[in-house]
Amino acid sequence: MAAPASATRSDAALRQLAALWGQSLPDGDSCAAAAKLNLRCLQGKGDLDDLRRLDRPAVLVLHDDPTAPTYAVLTALDAGGATLEIAGKRQSVSLDALAARFDGEFITFWRAPRSWRDEVAAGDHGPDVDWLAKRLAQIYGLKKPAENQALDAPLQRRLREFQLSQKLKADGVAGPKTFIRLNQLGGVQEPRLQRDGKELAAMAGK
């Protein structure tokens, strides 16, 4: 049975988004294909400020037509407006115009650290906790932490402080948005939202 047209359009937009990460996805379930390349889909709901804080290109669900949602790739967002790619065509729109078409649904990609679990919580230990501890130590200017440590009370407190400072849910649980921000502040080279798109183009060429 053929896939619904909306699923086909969303997969096409996700393939376009993956190209900004320098990846080519086959036809079909784009999130499943991306996961094999260690690109995880993050589906969320938020406003333009949330997208600005994520600071990465994303597929937005636009409700131009109540019977058929439009899938647009957001490539730039600042105080002056936004740049969208819809079916391969670029549009520059004002923030008010975008807000009128966008009710908060989005999908973006993020790259998980080694041995990542869906959530890293109190008492956990392993490579993903080590990665988390090292990133937080780097950001706060602390000495390099020991390997294979548990996510204990002091580390969880530092994690909550970090989440609060970044306007994330300060629950002491490291989920995708926390990992995304840690990557960004740690200088990891990933696609970011840019006004002129130059950085996105550079990433796609790698």
Side-chain angles (χ1 to χ4, degrees):
M1 186 171 65
S6 60
T8 301
R9 288 193 296 269
S10 65
D11 280 326
L14 285 168
R15 287 196 296 274
Q16 186 178 350
L17 181 64
L20 300 178
W21 289 78
Q23 302 292 343
S24 177
L25 302 182
D27 291 345
D29 187 333
S30 293
C31 284
K36 296 177 181 178
L37 301 171
N38 198 30
L39 279 183
R40 312 295 180 108
C41 281
L42 171 62
Q43 300 188 47
K45 195 169 179 70
D47 57 20
L48 296 184
D49 284 338
D50 292 317
L51 292 170
R52 194 175 284 109
R53 280 191 289 271
L54 277 176
D55 192 21
R56 61 186 48 220
V59 173
L60 309 187
V61 182
L62 304 182
H63 295 281
D64 301 330
D65 180 343
T67 64
T70 297
Y71 295 90
V73 180
L74 174 71
T75 58
L77 179 67
D78 65 15
T83 302
L84 305 173
E85 299 275 350
I86 301 176
K89 296 181 179 179
R90 179 170 295 185
Q91 295 183 11
S92 295
V93 299
S94 70
L95 297 185
D96 287 343
L98 177 57
R101 302 165 65 188
F102 174 57
D103 71 357
E105 293 179 78
F106 70 86
I107 307 173
T108 190
F109 285 132
W110 69 290
R111 184 161 277 136
R114 183 166 59 94
S115 301
W116 176 79
R117 287 166 279 188
D118 286 346
E119 288 183 340
V120 181
D124 287 343
H125 60 86
D128 47 0
V129 176
D130 290 343
W131 184 95
L132 179 65
K134 288 175 184 176
R135 279 279 188 265
L136 288 169
Q138 177 188 13
I139 289 168
Y140 286 102
L142 305 174
K143 67 178 182 180
K144 185 178 179 180
E147 296 287 333
N148 201 36
Q149 73 170 85
L151 182 52
D152 56 14
L155 180 57
Q156 195 170 41
R157 183 167 58 250
R158 192 171 303 127
L159 174 58
R160 285 196 183 98
E161 291 172 359
F162 172 79
Q163 290 170 326
L164 187 62
S165 73
Q166 300 301 312
K167 298 183 178 180
L168 300 169
K169 184 178 180 181
D171 56 3
V173 176
K177 291 183 180 179
T178 297
F179 279 122
I180 286 171
R181 195 67 185 129
L182 285 168
N183 266 342
Q184 290 171 338
L185 293 178
V188 175
Q189 293 299 305
E190 296 178 334
R192 307 280 284 268
L193 290 174
Q194 287 288 317
R195 181 63 179 169
D196 58 11
K198 289 180 180 177
E199 186 171 337
L200 296 178
M203 286 297 301
K206 289 186 178 181

